Amino acid sequence: MWKSTVDRATRLFDDLSEEDAAEPVAPGRNRVVYLLGHLTAVHDRMIPLLGLGERVHPEMDASFVSNPDRAIGDLPPLADLKSRWENVNGHLLVLMQQDVSPSWWAQRHTSVSEADFQINPTRNRLSILLNRTNHLSYHLGQIVLAPKRPSGSADRK
Amino acid sequence: MWKSTVDRATRLFDDLSEEDAAEPVAPGRNRVVYLLGHLTAVHDRMIPLLGLGERVHPEMDASFVSNPDRAIGDLPPLADLKSRWENVNGHLLVLMQQDVSPSWWAQRHTSVSEADFQINPTRNRLSILLNRTNHLSYHLGQIVLAPKRPSGSADRK
């Protein structure tokens, strides 16, 4: 489910023009470009959360996690955001596939203490994966609602 | 994840006025009332799909699954749809909690043949639950974008 949902998002993001990315998903709500950066940063944060190593783009949090859309004026170019999306998800998938044993997934994630994990052992790595898959689905449902130029427009890339 | 996502949806649906429910999630897209019926019918279909018994509302498919929004003129009253949402999800949860053993979830769902299941054993009951949780998250992301009357309006119920 994680892989197929990420793949679906990748197809949507690949197809975005600058104009598409600048559209809000609804009047006054997040722009598609913000959600692209937001999802990239949230997936990047999964790397240390799952105990799999260091993040690739910790600098993205200010623009895409700690602050809402439009709070930070200068966002990275769309092409950079698209390649970060690919890189972060590719790297994360390789790391997650190094060890897919049920017992690994049942271990605590790094933002819960050992004591709290004893109280609630469902606060494990698998819960992070399930939660983030649903978080991605939630925003995908929004991204498909954003106005798009008709497909086949000359400068679509 | 299933339970918390259903609960989140229930809170959104409980709060809907007739006017809120009649709003499309984006111009020309599904109305909130359609998504309420759609999600109810899709969850109802999980009962036989998981081998848990008969559906509660098979008659809903024509209006909410087989046809897009606005294809069928007369939808049930909003109050009925809200109570069907509660009933179907309540019933389904009771049935799913009768047997939560890992081996039960790893068995094939009823829309895959025994032969196809041998080829791909991930087409199991758990995959239905994961898929439908993400399906719900996807539409929840859309429902929160629909225009709403300001909270505190006199006739909200």
Side-chain angles (χ1 to χ4, degrees):
Chain A
M1 198 77 219
W2 170 259
K3 288 205 289 186
S4 69
T5 312
V6 168
D7 287 348
R8 186 173 176 186
T10 300
R11 288 192 296 275
L12 282 174
F13 291 143
D14 276 350
D15 199 37
L16 286 181
S17 67
E18 294 279 353
E19 293 81 359
D20 294 334
E23 291 283 354
V25 297
R29 309 297 287 261
N30 291 322
R31 290 171 297 170
V32 175
V33 66
Y34 179 84
L35 289 177
L36 167 57
H38 173 69
L39 290 165
T40 304
V42 167
H43 293 190
D44 193 33
R45 289 160 71 105
M46 289 169 67
I47 299 172
L49 203 49
L50 295 171
L52 290 170
E54 299 288 319
R55 294 183 58 175
V56 183
H57 291 292
E59 78 286 357
M60 290 181 74
D61 283 9
S63 296
F64 296 109
V65 180
S66 322
N67 288 295
D69 192 13
R70 303 178 187 85
I72 305 288
D74 279 340
L75 297 187
L78 179 61
D80 281 10
L81 290 175
K82 288 183 183 187
S83 68
R84 289 184 201 179
W85 167 261
E86 297 267 7
N87 290 342
V88 164
N89 285 288
H91 183 51
L92 175 59
L93 189 62
V94 166
L95 294 172
M96 288 197 299
Q97 289 181 331
Q98 285 175 356
D99 183 350
V100 293
S101 71
S103 66
W104 187 85
W105 287 105
Q107 289 169 32
R108 73 179 171 95
H109 62 72
T110 61
S111 75
V112 63
S113 70
E114 189 61 59
D116 287 344
F117 183 62
Q118 295 300 325
I119 296 166
N120 183 358
T122 71
R123 299 180 69 177
N124 56 28
R125 289 164 171 159
L126 184 61
S127 74
I128 296 292
L129 187 65
L130 293 171
N131 179 286
R132 296 307 185 273
T133 309
N134 278 275
H135 174 258
L136 176 56
S137 293
Y138 182 91
H139 287 305
L140 278 184
Q142 300 180 324
I143 290 167
V144 300
L145 297 181
K148 288 203 77 165
R149 290 173 310 131
S151 78
S153 289
D155 60 339
R156 178 175 293 279
K157 58 182 180 196
Chain B
M1 197 76 219
W2 170 260
K3 288 204 290 186
S4 68
T5 312
V6 167
D7 287 349
R8 186 174 175 187
T10 300
R11 287 192 297 274
L12 282 174
F13 292 143
D14 276 351
D15 199 38
L16 287 181
S17 67
E18 294 279 352
E19 293 81 1
D20 294 334
E23 290 283 354
V25 297
R29 308 297 287 260
N30 293 322
R31 291 171 297 170
V32 175
V33 66
Y34 179 83
L35 289 177
L36 167 56
H38 174 69
L39 290 165
T40 304
V42 167
H43 293 190
D44 192 33
R45 290 160 70 105
M46 290 169 67
I47 298 172
L49 202 50
L50 295 173
L52 291 170
E54 300 287 319
R55 294 183 57 176
V56 184
H57 290 293
E59 79 286 356
M60 290 181 75
D61 283 9
S63 297
F64 296 108
V65 180
S66 323
N67 289 295
D69 192 14
R70 303 178 186 85
I72 305 290
D74 278 342
L75 298 187
L78 179 61
D80 281 11
L81 290 175
K82 288 184 183 185
S83 69
R84 290 184 201 180
W85 168 262
E86 298 266 9
N87 289 342
V88 164
N89 285 288
H91 183 50
L92 175 59
L93 188 62
V94 166
L95 293 173
M96 289 197 299
Q97 289 181 331
Q98 286 176 354
D99 183 350
V100 292
S101 72
S103 65
W104 187 86
W105 286 105
Q107 289 170 30
R108 73 179 171 94
H109 60 73
T110 61
S111 77
V112 65
S113 70
E114 188 60 60
D116 287 345
F117 184 62
Q118 295 300 325
I119 296 166
N120 183 358
T122 70
R123 300 180 69 178
N124 55 28
R125 289 164 170 158
L126 184 61
S127 75
I128 297 291
L129 187 65
L130 293 171
N131 179 286
R132 296 308 185 274
T133 310
N134 278 275
H135 174 259
L136 176 56
S137 292
Y138 182 90
H139 287 305
L140 277 185
Q142 300 180 325
I143 290 167
V144 300
L145 297 181
K148 288 202 77 165
R149 290 174 310 132
S151 78
S153 290
D155 60 340
R156 176 174 295 277
K157 57 181 176 200

